Amino acid sequence: MSKTQQPPDEQPEPRPSFRLTVTKREPAVKLLYPVTGVEPLSWSEDHRLAVCTGSNVSVLEQVCDIHSSGPELSLHRTSVPGPLKTCVLRVGPLKDVEQCRAKFARSKDPSVSQKFMLDRVFNPEGKALPPVQGYKYACWSPTGCDANGRSLLAVLTLDNRLTVNANFDRLQWKQLADLTDMYGERLAESNYAVNEEDKAADLEEFAEFERRHLMQTPVRMEWSSICTTQEILENNTCRDVGTVLLAVLFENGDVAVWQFQLPIKDRSSIISCNTISSRIESPSVLAWWEYEHSSRKMSGLIIGSALGPIKIIPVNLKAVKGYFTLRQPVVLWQETDRLPVHSIKCIALHHPYQKCSCSLVVAARGSYVFWCLLLISKAGLNVHNSHVTGLHSLPIVSMAVDRQNGTIYTCATDGKVQQLSPIFTNVALKFEHQLITLSDMFGVVKSYGIAVSPCGAYLASVTSEGLNNGIHPVNRNFQVHFVALKTFEEAAAQLLESTGQNLFRQMDLTDLVRWKILKDKIIPQFLTDALDKKMEGGPLYFWRFRLFLLRVWHQSFKKTSSEVLLRTHPKESKVSRPEEGFVETSMAEEQEGQVSQSSPNKTLRDSAEPDGDCTPAEEGFQEIQQKIDAVEAHLTREHMKHVLGEVYLHTGITEYTSIPTRGVCAYLMANRDPEDRTAQVLIGHVEKKMNKQTFPEYCSLCKEVLPFTDSKKALCPNGHLWPRCFLTYQACQTLEYRRCLLHDSIARRPVPEDLEWIKRLLKGPCTLCDSPVF
């Protein structure tokens, strides 16, 4: 192992030649309770922002709403409620613990009695002290961990209760597992001895009483990335099995690594729990180190101390095939200089000179940023480390990372945010930094934390009022502000060159594009030309992107709710047609039924169109609608072929199989595309396989057969109207109804466990926005 250490920089890095453009976004979200904990903001991969407060964890979900003509951010707000009871750590039999508490409280030794009475870990329900309320830390798991393919939230309260929570129906948060209670049970079974060296002592000794508390007092926790392995079943078929790890750091330096099997449903999803001793005094923070070298994946845990040292400890992942670990700990910083490590981030980058992957570890130490570049070469593991100084005059309270390009953001309480851009050199690394002053946009504020959206489009900051003429405010109002870090051109270019090709995963970028189109009421020509080139023989991602742009453009010409109230017109009082293929609300359904009953031969689109000659604006409105219909027709054909391909490849037929295969084939043949040879061959194979079998759809309310006369809706003979939307993989409506995150469905029906291919078909993402369908 080779290691080089550079002295701290005496002068700040030179400013870059370009200037960062930031723009304030509305709305500013007011919090009902004060912010608590360290790093109070955390942004998930599926665009949800968690804010730790004194009563609950407020969750703000960003939604790129194509049905809204307002330029503001669309945020869906929920909250994880706080526990009803104070968490009391399990350190022994209840009767013995009560006797020890009474003994230590009345002890004549001040070092024992005062430490017991004032320490909220030993005395959580202290009557002489204010109640402990609020959350210390919250972190999101990777996407794909819950039953709906979304992220889970691990939260740690100020009274040391660690739980894993999931969101159901976008409204209710449910606790899946209480890890603090489960870890206490494991320790009680082993007589509070983790290693063979540990010996159980008498609980009446204050040192043993303290040891049992510190060994299960969580400090921080972090999720690993998803580990995917293959399991061989009894019929010699392979099944992908996903697992995820949650590392929990305790006060005594131990780390508990929980292994969960995906999807995580409850405490039964826990596979194992291993305890690792880090031997670090006063631990303060941890982060996962995940490195890939020559198709070999390595893993470890980076742990920082409040006294200064930082090191990586090995994590044994024998249960996860394909993963390797370090043979011995790697010390990144060994000086005990009393600069506490507040936050640690690990970024995977590509080294342009060495032509290989590398890891950049950054840590906030006081007002400085410690960085360490880890690179595996033929000589072994190379470690280059140093500090970046001159960034802040106050200690760094929060640090965030844009993992797309490795940009680092640091924040101090004075509202100053520094952007650090790593630049590789022949020797190691240097940083270019720029200053973002939040007070220039939000007034004089005091900042408590920042977070960056998954694709780096937005910066969220939680603030309160700052000093006014040198005087502190009497009451503090806490708010979450949003700042756009990218321009429209940068967001559009990133969407066009995306390797993931998932609009939902890049929702922060699409929201910037939506904001620009709504303001200018036009799609820029350069974006249209670039998209036309990509669509020629390209994947359906670019067709979905084109449909998204057209719908936002279409929405930009509509009047906002305030403009509609100010201007009353007879033609505007008619029922407006919702976007085809999506069910808006129950009120929209009632209006649709009323229109269809009053004029059964007239569609909703006809009822919304003005009578007489069209103005140029109305002609342009209709032209956009025609373009939308053309793109929808293309996507409908492609997704119908996808459904037919699934039907052809599988033969399992049960009472729940209600795929209108005959109707889909008839629709494709009636709307035949001469150049689409794939559809003709696929229909021929399906017709030959099915022979004379039919699988009609049935109404979920009255069990009548739904005729396949329209690709977007199905009308029951008894008058029930169901959406049949191939744009959201809801072609088989009576098989199982699910709900897209942006577009509501109506009903649900269970699917047997043996029909995995049908569940996979319906669990596919919404093909308009790529969001998970559940």
Side-chain angles (χ1 to χ4, degrees):
M1 180 186 303
S2 62
K3 179 174 180 178
T4 61
Q5 179 172 322
Q6 302 174 3
D9 302 331
E10 298 297 336
Q11 299 295 331
E13 297 289 341
R15 293 190 177 276
S17 57
F18 64 92
R19 181 167 179 81
L20 179 66
T21 302
V22 294
T23 310
K24 177 184 177 182
R25 286 301 309 269
E26 296 290 346
V29 181
K30 294 183 179 181
L31 301 177
L32 301 179
Y33 300 94
V35 173
T36 59
V38 293
E39 298 278 354
L41 288 184
S42 178
W43 211 319
S44 70
E45 295 179 5
D46 55 358
H47 308 280
R48 290 183 288 181
L49 183 66
V51 189
C52 296
T53 67
S55 176
N56 52 39
V57 177
S58 182
V59 180
L60 307 176
E61 179 180 354
Q62 181 186 358
V63 180
C64 188
D65 190 3
I66 63 171
H67 302 292
S68 173
S69 58
E72 299 85 6
L73 283 170
S74 297
L75 300 172
H76 180 73
R77 188 168 182 174
T78 56
S79 65
V80 181
L84 300 178
K85 297 182 179 179
T86 303
C87 178
V88 179
L89 299 180
R90 182 179 301 181
V91 295
L94 184 59
K95 185 177 180 180
D96 297 343
V97 171
E98 291 298 332
Q99 293 177 358
C100 291
R101 290 181 184 277
K103 174 185 175 181
F104 297 144
R106 297 191 303 265
S107 175
K108 295 181 180 181
D109 186 357
S111 63
V112 174
S113 60
Q114 292 184 10
K115 189 173 184 178
F116 173 81
M117 296 299 295
L118 297 178
D119 197 320
R120 301 312 298 265
V121 177
F122 306 146
N123 187 26
E125 297 179 343
K127 298 180 181 180
L129 301 175
V132 179
Q133 294 179 350
Y135 286 83
K136 183 187 301 185
Y137 189 66
C139 63
W140 293 95
S141 72
T143 55
C145 289
D146 73 344
N148 300 316
R150 305 207 67 191
S151 298
L152 296 172
L153 182 62
V155 295
L156 175 61
T157 61
L158 290 176
D159 59 358
N160 305 308
R161 186 190 299 273
L162 174 59
T163 59
V164 178
N165 302 269
N167 185 222
F168 290 88
D169 298 330
R170 297 188 64 204
L171 296 175
Q172 179 185 4
W173 283 90
K174 180 181 177 181
Q175 178 179 308
L176 300 183
D178 187 342
L179 299 185
T180 299
D181 184 62
M182 295 179 62
Y183 195 70
E185 293 178 358
R186 295 173 60 90
L187 291 177
E189 293 175 357
S190 62
N191 198 18
Y192 300 95
V194 177
N195 303 320
E196 296 180 356
E197 302 174 357
D198 298 337
K199 296 181 180 179
D202 190 1
L203 184 60
E204 294 184 356
E205 297 180 6
F206 187 74
E208 176 66 15
F209 184 82
E210 182 180 13
R211 186 188 73 88
R212 293 190 183 185
H213 276 89
L214 295 183
M215 69 187 307
Q216 52 181 319
T217 303
V219 178
R220 294 278 187 99
M221 65 285 183
E222 291 293 339
W223 295 90
S224 71
S225 60
I226 295 179
C227 313
T228 304
T229 58
Q230 285 190 340
E231 179 184 3
I232 301 178
L233 304 179
E234 295 179 355
N235 55 357
N236 292 331
T237 60
C238 294
R239 182 183 67 174
D240 291 337
V241 178
T243 58
V244 69
L245 304 176
L246 178 64
V248 184
L249 178 64
F250 297 102
E251 286 281 0
N252 66 339
D254 290 346
V255 180
V257 181
W258 297 85
Q259 185 178 13
F260 297 85
Q261 183 175 356
L262 303 181
I264 302 176
K265 299 178 180 179
D266 48 29
R267 59 187 300 171
S268 63
S269 301
I270 298 176
I271 300 177
S272 63
C273 176
N274 299 320
T275 302
I276 305 172
S277 178
S278 66
R279 302 186 185 279
I280 291 182
E281 186 180 357
S282 301
S284 59
V285 64
L286 86 162
W288 279 96
W289 176 67
E290 294 172 333
Y291 185 84
E292 186 171 356
H293 174 69
S294 300
S295 70
R296 297 181 64 181
K297 298 179 180 180
M298 301 183 67
S299 180
L301 281 172
I302 311 171
I303 300 180
S305 170
L307 303 178
I310 305 173
K311 73 176 182 179
I312 304 178
I313 64 172
V315 177
N316 191 359
L317 297 179
K318 292 183 178 179
V320 183
K321 296 181 180 179
Y323 282 79
F324 302 88
T325 187
L326 299 170
R327 295 182 179 179
Q328 59 184 0
V330 178
V331 178
L332 305 183
W333 185 258
Q334 61 182 357
E335 300 295 334
T336 307
D337 48 14
R338 300 292 176 176
L339 284 178
V341 183
H342 178 76
S343 178
I344 296 179
K345 304 292 181 183
C346 183
I347 315 166
L349 298 175
H350 179 77
H351 202 294
Y353 297 99
Q354 300 293 336
K355 307 296 182 182
C356 63
S357 59
C358 60
S359 291
L360 175 62
V361 179
V362 289
R365 303 181 68 243
S367 59
Y368 312 122
V369 172
F370 168 81
W371 64 267
C372 183
L373 184 64
L374 301 173
L375 179 66
I376 295 180
S377 63
K378 295 180 179 179
L381 180 63
N382 297 316
V383 180
H384 303 271
N385 57 11
S386 183
H387 283 78
V388 181
T389 61
L391 297 175
H392 299 278
S393 58
L394 296 175
I396 297 173
V397 297
S398 182
M399 184 169 60
V401 170
D402 178 7
R403 302 190 182 277
Q404 300 291 324
N405 53 16
T407 306
I408 305 157
Y409 297 88
T410 60
C411 174
T413 55
D414 56 1
K416 294 182 179 180
V417 179
Q418 289 282 355
Q419 182 198 49
L420 300 176
S421 301
I423 298 177
F424 287 94
T425 62
N426 292 327
V427 179
L429 200 66
K430 70 176 183 179
F431 291 91
E432 291 183 345
H433 53 85
Q434 286 192 353
L435 177 64
I436 304 174
T437 305
L438 299 179
S439 300
D440 295 342
M441 293 175 285
F442 312 124
V444 181
V445 294
K446 180 180 179 181
S447 181
Y448 298 88
I450 57 174
V452 178
S453 61
C455 295
Y458 289 114
L459 174 74
S461 175
V462 55
T463 62
S464 66
E465 295 88 343
L467 293 177
N468 186 8
N469 295 327
I471 302 175
H472 290 281
V474 178
N475 298 317
R476 293 189 183 273
N477 297 316
F478 294 85
Q479 292 183 329
V480 179
H481 296 278
F482 294 91
V483 177
L485 298 175
K486 294 182 182 293
T487 62
F488 166 78
E489 291 76 14
E490 293 173 343
Q494 192 168 340
L495 286 170
L496 289 174
E497 301 300 329
S498 171
T499 56
Q501 297 186 349
N502 189 304
L503 291 177
F504 173 74
R505 292 289 183 91
Q506 306 171 97
M507 188 184 295
D508 49 348
L509 298 175
T510 58
D511 188 79
L512 279 178
V513 174
R514 168 185 168 271
W515 183 33
K516 176 71 172 179
I517 296 175
L518 287 177
K519 288 194 304 182
D520 298 347
K521 299 184 182 298
I522 191 65
I523 302 176
Q525 189 62 37
F526 84 91
L527 181 56
T528 304
D529 297 340
L531 199 55
D532 289 341
K533 295 180 181 179
K534 296 281 187 179
M535 290 170 60
E536 296 178 0
L540 292 181
Y541 164 78
F542 298 107
W543 286 89
R544 298 196 299 270
F545 189 24
R546 178 66 174 272
L547 179 60
F548 168 78
L549 296 177
L550 290 174
R551 286 186 166 178
V552 174
W553 189 21
H554 184 273
Q555 197 71 30
S556 66
F557 288 98
K558 294 184 178 180
K559 300 292 183 182
T560 60
S561 57
S562 60
E563 292 175 340
V564 171
L565 292 176
L566 293 176
R567 180 184 177 187
T568 57
H569 195 275
K571 294 182 180 179
E572 293 183 358
S573 63
K574 294 185 178 181
V575 180
S576 59
R577 167 189 170 271
E579 297 289 344
E580 287 186 333
F582 306 106
V583 180
E584 299 291 342
T585 57
S586 59
M587 184 180 296
E589 298 167 13
E590 296 175 0
Q591 293 175 348
E592 186 175 356
Q594 294 173 2
V595 172
S596 61
Q597 292 176 3
S598 59
S599 54
N601 297 326
K602 190 173 184 180
T603 62
L604 286 174
R605 183 181 303 176
D606 297 333
S607 63
E609 291 178 355
D611 300 329
D613 298 334
C614 295
T615 63
E618 292 172 345
E619 291 179 356
F621 200 74
Q622 295 178 1
E623 182 181 356
I624 299 174
Q625 185 61 53
Q626 292 175 0
K627 293 181 180 179
I628 292 176
D629 294 340
V631 177
E632 285 184 350
H634 177 82
L635 289 174
T636 298
R637 289 182 57 86
E638 294 298 324
H639 298 142
M640 282 184 172
K641 291 190 293 183
H642 176 79
V643 172
L644 290 180
E646 291 286 342
V647 173
Y648 176 70
L649 292 175
H650 300 87
T651 57
I653 304 299
T654 68
E655 58 177 333
Y656 291 99
T657 306
S658 305
I659 303 177
T661 311
R662 293 282 186 182
V664 173
C665 293
Y667 178 86
L668 289 176
M669 294 301 294
N671 300 272
R672 182 180 303 177
D673 185 0
E675 299 180 358
D676 192 358
R677 177 65 177 168
T678 305
Q680 300 178 17
V681 173
L682 182 60
I683 291 174
H685 285 304
V686 172
E687 293 282 352
K688 183 178 180 181
K689 174 185 176 182
M690 291 177 58
N691 197 4
K692 296 182 180 180
Q693 297 178 3
T694 59
F695 309 104
E697 291 180 286
Y698 296 95
C699 178
S700 295
L701 298 179
C702 62
K703 306 304 180 183
E704 290 288 341
V705 176
L706 296 175
F708 196 98
T709 57
D710 193 345
S711 63
K712 295 183 178 179
K713 60 183 178 181
L715 183 61
C716 173
N718 294 331
H720 302 137
L721 183 64
W722 300 95
R724 181 192 287 121
C725 181
F726 283 89
L727 291 177
T728 55
Y729 278 175
Q730 291 175 340
C732 323
Q733 286 300 311
T734 58
L735 181 64
E736 180 180 17
Y737 286 95
R738 296 182 178 272
R739 181 163 54 186
C740 172
L741 298 180
L742 303 182
H743 321 106
D744 287 341
S745 182
I746 299 176
R748 294 184 179 184
R749 190 174 179 183
V751 176
E753 291 295 334
D754 56 345
L755 295 183
E756 291 292 337
W757 64 277
I758 296 179
K759 301 182 87 173
R760 184 173 65 253
L761 177 67
L762 291 180
K763 282 186 178 179
C766 171
T767 54
L768 170 66
C769 64
D770 296 296
S771 62
V773 177
F774 66 95

